[in-house]
Amino acid sequence: QVQLVESGGGSVQPGGSLRLSCAASGFTFSNYCMAWFRQAPGKARERVARIFSTGTTSYADSVKGRFTISEANALNTLYLQMNSLNTDDTAVYYCAAVPDGGSSYNYWGQGTQVTVS
């Protein structure tokens, strides 16, 4: 059974930092492209960052230079280090997985709330 379980969300003041984690199970983590998405109230879901199985990463312009995505394959865990947070970063953050070369994210976590105020 596939599971993606996010943790690490919470409330923080502007300028602060948080680190999100996503524990994965039930699939071969190292063969997947992993990503973080977020959705704020009334806004479309946005892909924040992704990391391919090769280790290549990409970021949305809105978070570039502030957020860092990483993974620990031995632990089947994905991370998102978020620095210099601002109120626009307030959202529910989700991790998701798609097989390398795939076009649709198959697996999603339940989300973790990040509030910056």
Side-chain angles (χ1 to χ4, degrees):
Q1 180 182 0
V2 172
Q3 278 194 309
L4 294 174
V5 180
E6 300 97 335
S7 61
S11 295
V12 64
Q13 293 183 339
S17 298
L18 283 174
R19 188 174 85 151
L20 305 183
S21 298
C22 172
S25 60
F27 63 99
T28 306
F29 185 80
S30 59
N31 290 346
Y32 278 67
C33 171
M34 301 297 297
W36 287 98
F37 287 77
R38 67 184 180 187
Q39 188 163 24
K43 294 188 176 181
R45 187 171 59 196
E46 172 190 27
R47 189 177 65 210
V48 172
R50 62 180 171 176
I51 182 167
F52 294 92
S53 62
T54 58
T56 301
T57 58
S58 68
Y59 297 90
D61 287 343
S62 57
V63 306
K64 210 170 285 186
R66 301 187 298 122
F67 289 13
T68 303
I69 189 171
S70 63
E71 60 186 7
N73 283 333
L75 299 176
N76 284 0
T77 302
L78 178 72
Y79 302 101
L80 185 68
Q81 177 66 44
M82 306 186 293
N83 299 328
S84 303
L85 286 161
N86 60 58
T87 56
D88 290 339
D89 297 317
T90 295
V92 178
Y93 284 71
Y94 301 90
C95 67
V98 58
D100 265 348
S103 58
S104 177
Y105 285 86
N106 309 57
Y107 306 133
W108 292 85
Q110 82 290 347
T112 186
Q113 176 71 46
V114 171
T115 302
V116 185
S117 65

